[in-house]
Amino acid sequence: MTPVDGLRSPESDSETRRREHAESTSDLLDLEAGRIGFPVLDGDGIRALLATKPRIGMIGASPDPTRPSHGVLLDLVGLGYDVVPVNPGADEVAGLRCYPTLREAVDATGPVVLVDVFRLPWACPPHAREAVEVGARCLWLQLGIASREAGRIAHDGGLDIVMNRCLAVEAMRP
């Protein structure tokens, strides 16, 4: 930011986006290099978790069939998972009742074990807090998404963490 009369000018939207993109790229690179700063589940840990067919709260589930979250939801339901869609802008996703918040979903339908997040990295920390608050066991950030802040929140809350992996792809592995 450039100084204006001894004060700092507010960050522009484009500056904010560039900063957020740089942070998320750095988080992805650090995740892949094993220096994200907290443990993440490896392939064996993921297989063990998914073998229990955990109940899933899907944040960012979309009613739009062209969106990845819609397809992943359908795949998971087809594989026998119980998935509860969460999206404040939808009442229903793929024929399932959709809830505006994870808290409302859990209050209405019961606990979830895994919270699958389809949001951009900078939107993930509040969802990590929600996952901790509802007593989930795992925070899962979808393929292409890593958030150091969300991971720290989840780790400090005792949750397992998965980042930069597609839940449907992992669920289909033998």
Side-chain angles (χ1 to χ4, degrees):
M1 287 188 261
T2 57
V4 177
D5 295 330
L7 302 172
R8 290 178 113 30
S9 64
E11 202 172 59
S12 74
D13 284 346
S14 60
E15 288 169 332
T16 300
R17 280 192 303 276
R18 277 193 297 276
R19 180 183 46 78
E20 289 169 341
H21 182 71
E23 286 175 12
S24 65
T25 300
S26 174
D27 288 352
L28 270 171
L29 291 171
D30 285 346
L31 172 69
E32 294 308 311
R35 56 178 186 256
I36 193 78
F38 44 81
V40 294
L41 290 182
D42 62 7
D44 290 339
I46 290 169
R47 277 188 291 287
L49 171 67
L50 295 180
T52 68
K53 289 280 188 186
R55 188 159 193 264
I56 300 165
M58 183 179 286
I59 296 175
S62 177
D64 180 349
T66 66
R67 301 294 300 167
S69 64
H70 189 88
V72 168
L73 186 144
L74 290 175
D75 288 343
L76 292 171
V77 169
L79 290 168
Y81 288 87
D82 182 7
V83 183
V84 182
V86 176
N87 183 331
D91 295 324
E92 183 179 288
V93 174
L96 300 172
R97 166 92 165 86
C98 189
Y99 296 87
T101 66
L102 184 60
R103 168 53 65 195
E104 289 177 69
V106 167
D107 287 349
T109 69
V112 296
V113 173
L114 190 156
V115 176
D116 185 17
V117 182
F118 278 89
R119 299 291 313 278
L120 294 173
W122 43 90
C124 291
H127 300 304
R129 283 186 205 89
E130 285 182 298
V132 170
E133 289 168 6
V134 301
R137 274 193 27 229
C138 180
L139 176 71
W140 189 298
L141 304 185
Q142 275 294 325
L143 190 61
I145 305 297
S147 168
R148 188 181 314 273
E149 183 181 356
R152 283 191 185 127
I153 292 165
H155 177 68
D156 291 348
L159 276 65
D160 289 329
I161 303 159
V162 177
M163 295 183 180
N164 191 31
R165 291 192 187 231
C166 176
L167 181 52
V169 168
E170 298 299 328
M172 289 182 207
R173 289 188 196 278

